[in-house]
Each structure stands twice: as C-alpha cells, then as structure tokens.
Amino acid sequence: MNYENHFAKSLAKLKAEGNYRQFTDIERIAGKFPLARDHKSGRDIILWCSNDYLGMGQHPKVVTAMVDAAQKMGAGAGGTRNISGTNHPLVLLERELADLHDKESALVFTSGYVANETTLATLGALLPNAVIFSDQMNHASMIEGIRKSKAEKHIFRHNDVAHLEELLRQVDINRPKIIAFESVYSMDGDIAPIKEIWDLADKYNAMTYLDEVHAVGLYGNKGGGISDRENLSHRVTVIQGTLAKGFGVIGGYIAASAGLVDAIRSFAPGFIFSTALPPAIAAAALASVRHLKTSNSEREKHQENVAKLKKMLIAANIPIIDTESHIIPVLIGDPHSSREASLRLLEEYDIFVQHINYPTVPKGKERLRITPTPLHTNEMMEQMTQALSHVLSQLTIKAAA
C-alpha cells in the first residue's frame, strides 16, 4: 500500500467537501484583549470566536499568579502525580473547585476532553451492568468516554425529557444508570432542562453527569455554572468543568463526592498515567477561579454585551440562533460559504470569526460562531454587525425564515 498516497487522497476529499481545517496564525496581545496580531497579514485583528469568554486569560491576577509560580517552582510538573508528587497549587485548586460546586472533592485533569472521556469510561466500566443515557448532542469527548466504557448505552433526543423517560422506563430500576448531558451546548447555545432531567434521575434511581464546560465562570452567584444559577448543584452527582474557557487557562476537572472522586483517581488510566498540570498553570487557574467566585462584574458586563450584540444582529437581519446563552451562532448552511465568509471578514475587516463545519456540526448546519466578551466595545459590535451584514449579502446568504 502507498501510505502517503492514501493520506493525500483522504485530505483531497476533505478539501473538496469544504471541510478541511486550516489554522489562523495569531498572537494575542496581553492587556489588549480582544485584539490579536495576524501573522499572515501583520495587522491587528479583533477576536470574535474565543472561548476565553471573559478574557480571564489576560487578567492581571491570573498572569501574575502564573509568572510568580513559574519563577518559584519552574515550568513543568515533573511527571504524573503518582510518581512525582502533587504540586501544592494543584491541591489548592482542587479544594477551590470542590467548594465552587458545593461538593466534597474535585479532581483536575489535563483538559476538559480528558476529564470527560476518562471519567465516563471509568464510571461505566466500574459500575456493574451499567446503562448510560446520553443526550444526542453531547460533546465528542463524552461520546468517546461512553464508547470506551463498553456499558450499554441509549441516546435520547436532544433536550427531550419525555424521550429520556421513555428510555429510562425500559430499564430495571435497580440497574446502575448514568444520565450524561451538558448544561450549555456549545454550537447551538441552547440550555438543557436540567431540573427536569434531575427529577427523572431521582425517579429512576440514576446518577447524573453534567458537563458545565461552557457555563463555569459565566453563570451563577459564584461562577459555578447553570447548576449554580439554578441552586441545584447539590442534586447532580458529577459536575465536569474546564479551566480553559470561562476561567481562561487550561485543564479540566470533575467535582463530586469524596468516594466517587477517589474511585476515579484510583482506577482511571487517563488520570493515573498522565503528567499533571504544571504548578504555574494550576496557580493561574486558581487565581481565576478565586476571582470569579467573588466578582460578578465580568459576568454582568458579559451578559450585557451578549444581549446588545444579539439585538444589533437581529435588527440587521443576520440569521442567528437566538438563545438565552452567550453563544451566538450565525447560520450559513454550506461549508464553502461559511469558510468564505470567515476569510472575507478577516481579510477585508480584520475580524476573526472561525467557521464551524462538519463534523463539529451536522452537514447543512455550517455556521459562524460568535462569542462576545465583556471587553468588546460598542464600536467593535457596530463594526462587526456592519461587516457581517455586508459579507453575507455578497454571498447571498439570507436570514433564516
């Protein structure tokens, strides 16, 4: 077999479909977020698609904590926590995360993807004869974890509580069950009916596994996510979150009972055999979590800007999905057009909004995904609206009916 030829053909097919992914080479400018430098053009651009939703990656407290820890403890973690010991900032971070979610314990992983995949795979394998019920729109990391668990699985229609109950009713109430779902879904920006799902979990003797990655830091009195906002954290069995979005750094985690967390710590290969987060990363994340637990100003300004931009886009007849979350999808419906819209915004207006194509979204649902932050100005929002309106009109993309 000609291996290189096979790879070339596979990539050519991807390019012909319009789903080949290319990276935009940028350099964020500390202290000037959402500005960044585009290395191809050499110009400053405005970021409109960052998952650093609150700009905490450049907050002075976070940057200072990272620099101080690196100077004091070095750049690396030295290995896995089992072999090299646990750096103290990581211990403090886990305590802070447990408190954030009103849980007994927390465990930090190298990313949110790893946290999901590892925890769900381990839970499904550890519980005897387990059944996992998964929302149709769950993230790839959750799907992969459930697959690796080899547990029996049932997929319920997205946010469809009636369908979930129909599936739960078919399983022996005494069998171990896990309902896995997200609070904020990252592509459509919709929010799960979490109370109703937890009510079903109680009724059918199931655990709940809630992915809050697109909500932590952003919602609730102390940034604990939608479960915090709804005062329901105590009802969920496992809360999974990330340190890379609302908190602006990197890493993932779970928060749950001390026994469950200890079981994952003790049995999960994805945790046991992974190098720990370096102390500087842990210290930066710790500073971010602590700040957002007591400061609501970033959340309030964030929601204000989201509402303002949505209003502008709707008034300009831009085909957005108007949801109650902070994510603003602009529907394009074609992979080539979505890529072209992204390129024109960057090249003609110095605006960076990454196009989202299959397999991240279904075919025919291609889009731009806009994520306003507290640091975007009114002038930036007006410029964004005008530029997007012009580009879409050039591509003959009209508002959804």
Side-chain angles (χ1 to χ4, degrees):
M1 180 179 186
N2 187 323
Y3 297 107
E4 291 301 321
N5 186 53
H6 177 75
F7 299 145
K9 286 182 177 179
S10 298
L11 290 170
K13 182 175 182 292
L14 199 63
K15 291 175 181 178
E17 293 170 346
N19 293 320
Y20 180 70
R21 297 169 186 248
Q22 293 177 292
F23 298 146
T24 302
D25 186 0
I26 68 170
E27 181 179 321
R28 302 209 305 173
I29 305 170
K32 293 185 177 181
F33 186 81
L35 293 182
R37 176 62 55 86
D38 175 19
H39 275 270
K40 181 180 179 180
S41 67
R43 300 192 305 266
D44 286 351
I45 60 174
I46 301 173
L47 303 179
W48 277 104
C49 52
S50 174
N51 280 346
D52 187 358
Y53 295 130
L54 301 178
M56 291 302 294
Q58 298 186 31
H59 193 284
K61 288 183 181 179
V62 177
V63 174
T64 298
M66 179 178 283
V67 171
D68 289 349
Q71 290 179 336
K72 182 179 178 181
M73 290 173 268
T80 69
R81 295 169 72 173
N82 297 287
I83 292 175
S84 301
T86 295
N87 65 74
H88 191 58
L90 199 46
V91 174
L92 297 178
L93 175 59
E94 287 176 339
R95 291 175 186 170
E96 203 72 39
L97 290 168
D99 179 73
L100 174 68
H101 295 293
D102 301 314
K103 297 298 181 186
E104 293 177 340
S105 189
L107 189 68
V108 170
F109 299 79
T110 51
S111 72
Y113 190 106
V114 174
N116 265 338
E117 180 185 60
T118 299
T119 303
L120 283 167
T122 304
L123 285 175
L126 198 58
L127 294 169
N129 199 26
V131 186
I132 301 178
F133 300 84
S134 176
D135 187 284
Q136 180 184 13
M137 297 301 290
N138 275 343
H139 190 265
S141 57
M142 301 174 77
I143 295 169
E144 188 64 14
I146 293 167
R147 185 187 69 80
K148 287 186 175 180
S149 77
K150 297 183 180 178
E152 180 182 326
K153 70 174 182 294
H154 298 278
I155 299 171
F156 60 94
R157 290 187 292 269
H158 180 50
N159 284 345
D160 190 332
V161 177
H163 187 222
L164 172 59
E165 181 165 24
E166 179 185 326
L167 296 173
L168 284 165
R169 199 182 291 124
Q170 298 171 15
V171 177
D172 185 341
I173 197 167
N174 294 312
R175 283 184 70 181
K177 293 178 283 295
I178 303 168
I179 303 173
F181 63 109
E182 301 179 38
S183 58
V184 177
Y185 287 85
S186 64
M187 288 300 116
D188 284 352
D190 53 339
I191 295 177
I194 52 179
K195 182 183 182 300
E196 291 81 357
I197 291 175
W198 289 331
D199 286 343
L200 286 181
D202 287 345
K203 181 177 179 180
Y204 291 96
N205 191 30
M207 295 171 54
T208 47
Y209 183 98
L210 177 63
D211 178 320
E212 287 261 37
V213 298
H214 290 278
V216 289
L218 308 177
Y219 300 94
N221 291 327
K222 56 182 180 178
I226 300 298
S227 55
D228 178 22
R229 186 185 74 177
E230 303 299 324
N231 296 314
L232 292 168
S233 299
H234 63 286
R235 294 191 64 186
V236 65
T237 313
V238 183
I239 293 176
Q240 182 268 343
T242 183
L243 303 166
K245 294 179 173 63
F247 295 124
V249 191
I250 194 170
Y253 65 88
I254 59 168
S257 68
L260 188 150
V261 169
D262 197 22
I264 300 301
R265 184 190 69 85
S266 300
F267 290 101
F271 173 80
I272 294 169
F273 299 106
S274 288
T275 297
L277 285 187
I281 296 293
L286 175 62
S288 185
V289 173
R290 282 178 171 170
H291 175 80
L292 289 175
K293 282 175 71 175
T294 59
S295 174
N296 279 311
S297 61
E298 290 86 1
R299 283 187 283 275
E300 291 170 357
K301 183 62 177 176
H302 182 228
Q303 291 300 317
E304 178 187 323
N305 278 358
V306 169
K308 190 177 295 183
L309 182 60
K310 282 182 180 178
K311 186 176 180 180
M312 289 180 180
L313 294 175
I314 290 170
N317 207 30
I318 304 296
I320 72 167
I321 300 176
D322 185 14
T323 69
E324 61 176 303
S325 82
H326 58 283
I327 294 166
I328 307 178
V330 179
L331 291 179
I332 306 296
D334 174 77
H336 300 283
S337 295
S338 65
R339 181 176 182 274
E340 183 64 20
S342 180
L343 285 174
R344 291 192 187 188
L345 285 169
L346 182 62
E347 293 174 357
E348 298 175 20
Y349 297 96
D350 295 328
I351 287 173
F352 178 41
V353 185
Q354 182 63 41
H355 60 287
I356 308 293
N357 287 1
Y358 178 83
T360 307
V361 294
K363 291 180 179 180
K365 298 293 184 180
E366 292 83 4
R367 65 195 61 189
L368 303 179
R369 178 178 175 274
I370 300 173
T371 53
T373 73
L375 301 173
H376 284 92
T377 65
N378 288 339
E379 182 182 6
M380 290 176 181
M381 287 188 272
E382 290 169 359
Q383 179 200 15
M384 176 60 170
T385 303
Q386 293 169 5
L388 190 55
S389 181
H390 184 247
V391 166
L392 296 189
S393 68
Q394 287 180 320
L395 296 173
T396 65
I397 297 167
K398 298 179 180 179

